[in-house]
Amino acid sequence: MSLRIGFTGDVMLGRLVDDRQRDRSVDAVWGNTLERLRGLDGLVINLECVLSTRGRKWTRTRRPFHFRADPDWAVPALERAGVDACALANNHVLDYEEVALRDTLAALDEAGIARSGAGETIDEALEPAAFSVGDSNGGLDVAVVSFTDNTPEYAADEESPGTARVEFDVDDTTMRRRVRKAFERARETEPDLLVASLHWGPNMVTEPPASFRAVGRWLAEEGVDIVHGHSAHVFQGIEVHDGTPIIYDAGDFVDDYAVDDERRNDRSFLFVLAVGPDGRPTDLRLHPTEIDGCAVHVASPDAAAWARDRMRDLSEPFGTAFDRDGEALVLSLGDDESNDGEI
């Protein structure tokens, strides 16, 4: 029997989302997707905010946006959705300076939600988020490593807290060394599934640059089972290399952002990876979603059709073809020879 691991784009619980949640149920932020989220065997998100009521806005460099959510509701909301791991390597973990980052780390640890990509030092930021799903008769051990190329001033070092930051360039020896170090630590947990969760590139860009495609392929060749990209606020195409699905950008899952009428940053998918009894991914299902009222919802028929067509168009240059199952797109992962486009 297959196990199903879900992946989302950015989960931003601050600002207006935080305001709305003070007057509605903990579950409300997940709209009518909650049952589907809770039905998964595992769930990995990019947490695009800090969980704290403390700290002051970062002003050491220009930062136009600052995202912070009250952990009194945000942590229970993550728990209710069944979130197993949060990628924290992004451009918002120090929005309210070090105290709020420390509160975030502590809140996730207390809730038993694994985390990766940020920490008190670069050494801690390189530690994987490790969790297990299923049972002793058919369980799966998962390890998630997380990196970003955003916001150099938020990078952790040997003595200061922050993110696991790299430049995403296969010719960059520092990147290769740092990523391989994180992989070594992840493999010490003996995972069945190795995930690379990457917050890379600028906002509102609909296609990955050639450098990201090269890094995605390199990660597949290094043994990553799925690349979970995010940062652009709009979803990008999917490529398959050596059997590894590369989600170049998962878009946004929940937030309060203004909507671009053409690129539709309010529409994306819940990406669900099926993993067989032998520990090998068998397919990736894309369930259309849309954001409304500072909550995520199952996409309306029109929005779902738009998202499916858009994903097909964006993925076609990579040689990626999808089947259809109800409202979802399905990508089979048994043989990727036909899914290997040119850089």
Side-chain angles (χ1 to χ4, degrees), residues 51-70:
L51 306 177
S52 179
T53 58
R54 302 196 299 163
R56 59 184 179 182
K57 291 182 179 180
W58 177 283
T59 58
R60 299 177 220 175
T61 55
R62 184 181 181 276
R63 298 286 299 152
F65 305 113
H66 301 81
F67 300 152
R68 176 177 64 176
D70 188 336

Side-chain angles (χ1 to χ4, degrees), residues 98-132:
E98 290 84 354
V99 64
L101 172 56
R102 292 187 175 109
D103 285 349
T104 304
L105 303 177
L108 294 174
D109 290 348
E110 185 175 353
I113 298 173
R115 55 178 172 85
S116 64
E120 286 282 357
T121 63
I122 182 58
D123 197 55
E124 182 180 344
L126 294 178
E127 287 294 320
F131 63 94
S132 298

Side-chain angles (χ1 to χ4, degrees), residues 194-234:
L194 178 59
V195 179
S197 191
L198 312 177
H199 202 70
W200 54 359
N203 295 345
M204 307 308 290
V205 175
T206 59
E207 298 176 1
S211 59
F212 286 11
R213 290 193 65 192
V215 169
R217 291 178 166 204
W218 176 77
L219 290 169
E221 292 161 8
E222 288 288 310
V224 167
D225 295 296
I226 182 169
V227 176
H228 171 221
H230 32 86
S231 180
H233 299 310
V234 292

Side-chain angles (χ1 to χ4, degrees), residues 207-208 213 217 236-240 246 248 314-321 338-342:
E207 298 176 1
R213 290 193 65 192
R217 291 178 166 204
Q236 298 176 355
I238 296 175
E239 183 172 7
V240 180
I246 305 169
Y248 282 109
L314 292 171
S315 300
E316 191 276 334
F318 307 143
T320 304
S338 64
N339 295 60
D340 237 356
E342 296 300 323

Side-chain angles (χ1 to χ4, degrees), residues 97-163:
E97 299 202 345
E98 290 84 354
V99 64
L101 172 56
R102 292 187 175 109
D103 285 349
T104 304
L105 303 177
L108 294 174
D109 290 348
E110 185 175 353
I113 298 173
R115 55 178 172 85
S116 64
E120 286 282 357
T121 63
I122 182 58
D123 197 55
E124 182 180 344
L126 294 178
E127 287 294 320
F131 63 94
S132 298
V133 299
D135 56 33
S136 58
N137 294 322
L140 187 74
D141 295 322
V142 183
V144 182
V145 300
S146 180
F147 290 92
T148 185
D149 64 351
N150 288 191
T151 322
E153 59 267 40
Y154 282 12
D157 60 26
E158 287 72 15
E159 298 179 352
S160 302
T163 61

